[in-house]
Amino acid sequence: MAQKIENQYKEILNEYMKKQTEQNLYVGQNFSRQLILENIAPEEVISMHKVAIQELYNELPDVVWHSFDFLIEMMINYGLALQERQSLLKQQEELKVEMELAANVQETLLKTKLPVLEGLDIGLLSIPAKKMNGDYIYFVSEHDGSAGIAVADVIGKGLPAALCMSMIKFGMDSLSSSQALPKDVLSVINRIVEKTIDDSMFVSMFYGNYNAKRARLTYGSAGHEPAILYRAKDQEFTELYAKGLLLGVSPAAVYEEHTVDLDTGDLVMMMTDGVTEGRNEDGFIEREVIFELIERKKEQPAQVIVQYVYDELERMQNAQFQDDFTLVIYKKT
């Protein structure tokens, strides 16, 4: 078979050297496909070319034949490098498929039902920077006019963060009452995280319990980005601080709890640092910029405000978010 291929190549090459037509090139292109099917390596093709040239034009100087030897050695290493690259590309493609599947599973697993509360309009948006989302929103609601909300952020990205979020959901599922106090919820989730998640990973979480009858939000935080309160009457923004260690740091962590009453038109923004730590070519985007965006659309439904903030921050960052974006807005109507 090898001798047959060599003879074919010499004949094709000889015809091309004599005529140099497009038809000759076409024949050579078709023959290259045969070489691929026969699994002929690049260095073997060059060696075959050298033999054919020697038989056809033996009078060429020695330096030409040495150049072929040099090219053959180069192609041996080139072929090995090419095989390694193709192997890596195949692995990357397989990993990409697996990540897409995992992302779909995560989306299904972490779904949560938006509560319906009298006098409260809710808007939310959670978009991962990559395939897997390291942010998490979870609602706990009952028919008594109250609902709990957890906004969590794993310090990390990718598959490990997504797996960590699955454990957070497991913990939240065990807390079925929407009347559970934030300090108690955070303590329970903290113990679960501390026992089940690698020591190198930590989770921040904001937990709020909203009572629609009183229009009162009770909240606590485990090292999470402070929620922001907008008072429509005063047209002022304030941050809702609550002390508390990140989840998973210490099983004995104690969490603060505070309350705030909402009036018509008031907004509460709960978010992850993907919202507040955006960057553009001039540096970090100041919080005042975010406040201004919210104030522009404060009269609109909560979901319109959330989408507007995302669209504007995406524009400012040239569609290059460095972290997962999660924003929830409660609007008292």
Side-chain angles (χ1 to χ4, degrees), residues 1 34-35 88 90-91 150 164 188 193 234 242 286 304 309:
M1 176 64 72
Q34 182 181 342
L35 296 177
L88 288 173
K90 182 179 179 182
Q91 292 176 23
C164 181
V188 170
V193 170
D234 302 323
E286 300 293 336
V304 173
V309 171

Side-chain angles (χ1 to χ4, degrees), residues 118-133:
E118 185 178 353
L120 188 69
D121 180 23
I122 302 175
L124 67 89
L125 195 62
S126 185
I127 298 178
K130 297 182 178 179
K131 286 289 182 183
M132 307 298 290
N133 200 339

Side-chain angles (χ1 to χ4, degrees), residues 143-324:
H143 299 294
D144 61 354
S146 63
I149 177 174
V151 179
D153 183 6
V154 177
I155 299 177
K157 298 182 179 68
L159 192 55
L163 293 174
C164 181
M165 276 306 163
S166 299
M167 296 306 302
I168 300 298
K169 183 181 188 300
F170 167 77
M172 294 303 302
D173 284 339
S174 68
L175 299 167
S176 58
S177 174
S178 64
Q179 298 182 13
L181 296 175
K183 61 182 181 180
D184 295 333
V185 171
L186 292 172
S187 293
V188 170
I189 301 301
N190 176 60
R191 289 193 292 271
I192 291 174
V193 170
E194 197 273 333
K195 289 180 180 179
T196 60
I197 293 175
D198 187 88
D199 291 341
S200 64
M201 298 189 72
F202 300 100
V203 183
S204 69
M205 179 184 284
F206 174 92
Y207 188 84
N209 186 310
Y210 184 77
N211 185 306
K213 294 179 181 178
R214 297 183 178 182
R216 174 173 293 172
L217 178 69
T218 305
Y219 63 92
S221 175
H224 195 76
E225 193 76 19
I228 297 170
L229 171 66
Y230 174 75
R231 289 293 192 190
K233 181 179 178 181
D234 302 323
Q235 298 185 1
E236 291 182 352
F237 291 91
T238 57
E239 294 182 334
L240 302 180
Y241 284 104
K243 291 183 180 179
L245 286 174
L246 291 165
L247 301 177
V249 174
S250 169
V254 177
Y255 297 95
E256 285 186 355
E257 189 174 275
H258 302 282
T259 61
V260 61
D261 295 328
L262 302 185
D263 296 321
T264 301
D266 287 352
L267 305 172
V268 176
M269 286 71 71
M270 296 156 279
M271 67 202 76
T272 59
D273 56 14
V275 178
T276 57
E277 295 183 2
R279 299 190 65 171
N280 57 24
E281 56 188 18
D282 298 321
F284 284 103
I285 298 173
E286 300 293 336
R287 283 179 175 241
E288 286 70 23
V289 174
I290 300 173
F291 295 167
E292 182 182 344
L293 295 177
I294 292 170
E295 197 162 18
R296 286 179 194 171
K297 298 292 181 179
K298 63 186 179 182
E299 305 298 334
Q300 298 293 321
Q303 189 61 43
V304 173
I305 302 173
V306 169
Q307 188 66 53
Y308 178 73
V309 171
Y310 174 80
D311 291 341
E312 287 300 297
L313 290 178
E314 182 183 42
R315 180 185 61 78
M316 293 177 191
Q317 299 174 80
N318 296 318
Q320 294 294 324
F321 280 96
Q322 300 300 314
D323 202 353
D324 303 323

